[in-house]
């Protein structure tokens, strides 16, 4: 693992407010949850690829991080999280 890559302390699921969808959440040492963008897009029914391109120009992207996400079948991969 790269030294500059943040270490994920815990990976669990949380329920999104107002949408009632369960999505994965990654917790870093600071205790804040980071939700993968693909999960948010899936809950909203929109395409992650085009959304990421558009959202990168918004103020909400200031807190975005690329974090290692552990999948059941594909192993660990880096995903954008908010």
């Amino acid at each position: 693992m790269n030294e500059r890559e943040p270490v994920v302390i815990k990976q669990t699921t949380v329920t999104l407010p107002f949408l009632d969808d369960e999505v994965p959440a990654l917790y870093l040492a600071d205790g804040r949850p980071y939700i993968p963008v693909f999960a948010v897009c899936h809950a909203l029914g929109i395409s992650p690829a085009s959304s990421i391109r558009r959202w990168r120009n918004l103020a909400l992207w200031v807190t975005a991080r690329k974090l290692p996400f552990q999948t059941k079948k594909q192993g660990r991969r880096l995903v954008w999280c908010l």
Side-chain angles (χ1 to χ4, degrees), residues 35-72:
I35 310 296
V37 173
F38 74 84
V40 175
C41 290
H42 180 72
L44 295 172
I46 57 178
S47 168
S50 62
S51 298
I52 288 173
R53 279 193 301 266
R54 281 183 273 143
W55 291 356
R56 289 182 86 155
N57 298 324
L58 299 176
L60 70 91
W61 204 259
V62 173
T63 61
R65 292 179 160 217
K66 214 162 194 184
L67 299 174
F69 177 70
Q70 183 70 38
T71 63
K72 292 180 183 176

Side-chain angles (χ1 to χ4, degrees), residues 1 5 11 20 26-27 29 32 50 52 62 70 74-75:
M1 188 181 286
E5 185 177 300
Q11 180 173 324
D20 296 328
L26 306 171
Y27 289 87
R32 291 180 17 190
S50 62
I52 288 173
V62 173
Q70 183 70 38
Q74 298 174 343

Side-chain angles (χ1 to χ4, degrees), residues 17-33:
F18 306 108
L19 297 175
D20 296 328
D21 285 358
E22 284 202 3
V23 296
L26 306 171
Y27 289 87
L28 299 182
D30 63 5
R32 291 180 17 190

